[in-house]
Amino acid sequence: MLTKSDLQKIGSVVDDRLETKLEKKLEPIKKDLTDVKKDIKYLRKKVNKIDKTVSVLVERSDREETLLKQRVKRIEEHLDLPRNNN
């Protein structure tokens, strides 16, 4: 009959084998996960750069639109034209 210590030894051997097999199976998944993390980091940088670029373009466009509106207003006033309320 098996004693408690025998069962514990058998359990630890089974645990070690399971752990070894799981590590072997998880190794490619861990590598893929690392690759995905690198890709996400790269994409974050690109998205931030695009966001900054869009912000600059929108700000510039708004500034130009404001200046153009001012010019049109002065021209309308100078020529005594009816104002367009848009």
Side-chain angles (χ1 to χ4, degrees):
M1 182 140 223
L2 296 173
T3 65
K4 188 174 182 177
S5 72
D6 291 338
L7 291 174
Q8 287 176 340
K9 287 178 186 177
I10 292 171
S12 67
V13 169
V14 170
D15 287 344
D16 289 342
R17 285 189 180 171
L18 278 174
E19 187 175 322
T20 304
K21 286 188 178 190
L22 280 174
E23 284 180 7
K24 286 180 183 177
K25 292 202 180 226
L26 289 176
E27 192 172 308
I29 294 171
K30 287 180 181 178
K31 185 183 181 304
D32 289 344
L33 184 61
T34 303
D35 291 343
V36 168
K37 285 181 179 180
K38 287 178 183 176
D39 290 345
I40 288 173
K41 186 176 180 179
Y42 171 78
L43 288 173
R44 252 191 213 127
K45 285 181 180 179
K46 288 297 181 182
V47 166
N48 285 338
K49 187 173 182 177
I50 290 171
D51 186 45
K52 288 177 184 177
T53 303
V54 167
S55 294
V56 167
L57 288 172
V58 166
E59 183 180 320
R60 183 177 178 189
S61 158
D62 285 347
R63 197 173 332 123
E64 288 178 359
E65 181 183 6
T66 302
L67 292 173
L68 184 62
K69 282 181 177 182
Q70 290 172 351
R71 290 181 63 204
V72 168
K73 181 181 175 188
R74 279 183 277 189
I75 292 170
E76 287 175 343
E77 287 174 356
H78 181 73
L79 296 176
D80 201 24
L81 296 173
R83 275 197 76 198
N84 188 356
N85 290 330
N86 286 339

